[in-house]
Amino acid sequence: MKSCVTIVLGLQWGDEGKGKILDVMAAEADWVLRAQGGNNAGHTVEIGKEKYVLHLVPSGILRSDVSCLIAGGAVVDPAGLVKEIEGLTKRKIRTRGRLHLAAQAHLVLPHHRAVDQGSEKRRGHGKIGTTGRGIGPAYSDKATRVGLRAGELALAPAELARRLRERVAAHNRVARNQGWEKISATQTVREMAQAARFLRPYLADGVTLAHRAVSSGKRILIEGAQGTFLDVDHGTYPFVTSSHCTAGGACTGTGVPPTAIQRVVGVLKAYTTRVGGGPFVTEDGTLGHLLHGMGREFGSTTGRARRCGWFDAVLVRRAVQLNGVTEMAITNLDGLDGLEKIPVCVGYRLKGRILSEPPVESSDWARCKPVYRVFDGWCEPTTEARHWKDLPRKARIYLSAITELVGAPLGIISVGAGREQTFRHG
Ligand code: GDP
Ligand code: IMO
Ligand code: MG
């Protein structure tokens, strides 16, 4: 039976509005699989007056007939996941029988957070600006093959405790020298035993579940977290996260093979934002001031003000190539509604040369100056638009131009946080 598998991922530095687009697309899905990342993510979905911020649980959970899997490529903070599930239950969102946690997913433990936060402190001005959730150290333990996986939560309590004590002892042996906080093994064991009891019913073999869904012809969305330029291979290294946020990572993380994928929907903002350190060629304080003044662009996970800038076509063109984007979903068009002039970056100037591709080194990237093409603003609200033809002519010109510059077709347009403020191009 032919299934339909769609990857939905971010084309910039995260927070593109993936949660909102996934929620809209989940109206026509059977499964949503979260491929990678951890509770560094914050995916916002607004339904009427209700606002949900999901960190680990796939955005499909808000549609009662959709099943969800946190796949093996993700890293899971057990206590964080318990809290998130409890929060959903309080709001009458059912998770039992609908939400599954892959036994293959690695665990984020309290000592990972201590390493993350201690290392950032030590980096001082050169810090990455991580979310402090222990994501890098958890992936690092996975790569060095000492990590614990979610499936181990089902072990006999004494064996789980033994493994946890071993990891905490290894951490504490080097903690003082490294400037990391020491961790209590007893507290870790207690916290994990509690979380294990709660999470056991959710555990499953993630790969078997995903393949059953594929082979029985289900409509599947693979939910990416973070964004293309936070990918550990393809992002602005070292100012990146520690997982693969690109389309390849969606396949590795879920175990769904590339040959099963039909569509890749790239989500992007009509401008650019990033949280944390690292190069940002089109960053513009005045635009940031304007958007923050409207109460927008504060991080969903940490509450930090996001850095803001103009649309960067050099960046998104590369993201379209890297992910094999078949269609784009542009969000936050309404953020530009009040502007008379809207610059779009069409090239980078570096050492007297004009680049149409981003440089390899972050230090070069940070030295690039934007080459702008300036568009006329439309200076009227777009938030009530429900069809392409409802948009002001200048907004259509802007969207058509950036679509052409980045080389992928425009599929979905979003003009507000609500479900209803979304429509298809054409
Ligand atoms: P994600 O991490 O990619 O899911 O994005 P976040 O949820 O972290 O950040 C996107 C923010 O933009 C959230 O507050 C959304 O509610 C909001 N949002 C999404 N699309 C639109 C839009 O078209 N217009 C407006 N005004 N807000 C939007
Ligand atoms: P969603 O899924 C935006 C950023 C952090 C930091 C860098 C590394 O909501 O789009 P980490 O804690 O992962 O080691 O931090 O990555 N970052 C995000 N920025 N959206 C996210 O997720 C992010 N997840 C991590 O700010 O710069
Ligand atoms: Mg976010």
Side-chain angles (χ1 to χ4, degrees), residues 66-104:
V66 173
S67 300
C68 295
L69 169 69
I70 302 170
V75 288
V76 175
D77 174 340
L81 179 57
V82 170
K83 214 166 131 202
E84 194 171 336
I85 293 174
E86 284 176 341
L88 288 167
T89 308
K90 264 198 203 118
R91 298 177 76 175
K92 309 242 177 324
I93 308 291
R94 189 172 62 82
T95 54
R96 284 291 283 276
R98 295 181 55 215
L99 172 66
H100 308 275
L101 168 60
Q104 292 91 338

Side-chain angles (χ1 to χ4, degrees), residues 152-170:
E152 288 167 79
L153 295 174
L155 287 170
E159 178 57 17
L160 175 61
R162 190 190 66 74
R163 295 186 190 185
L164 287 167
R165 283 184 188 282
E166 191 182 289
R167 296 314 314 146
V168 175

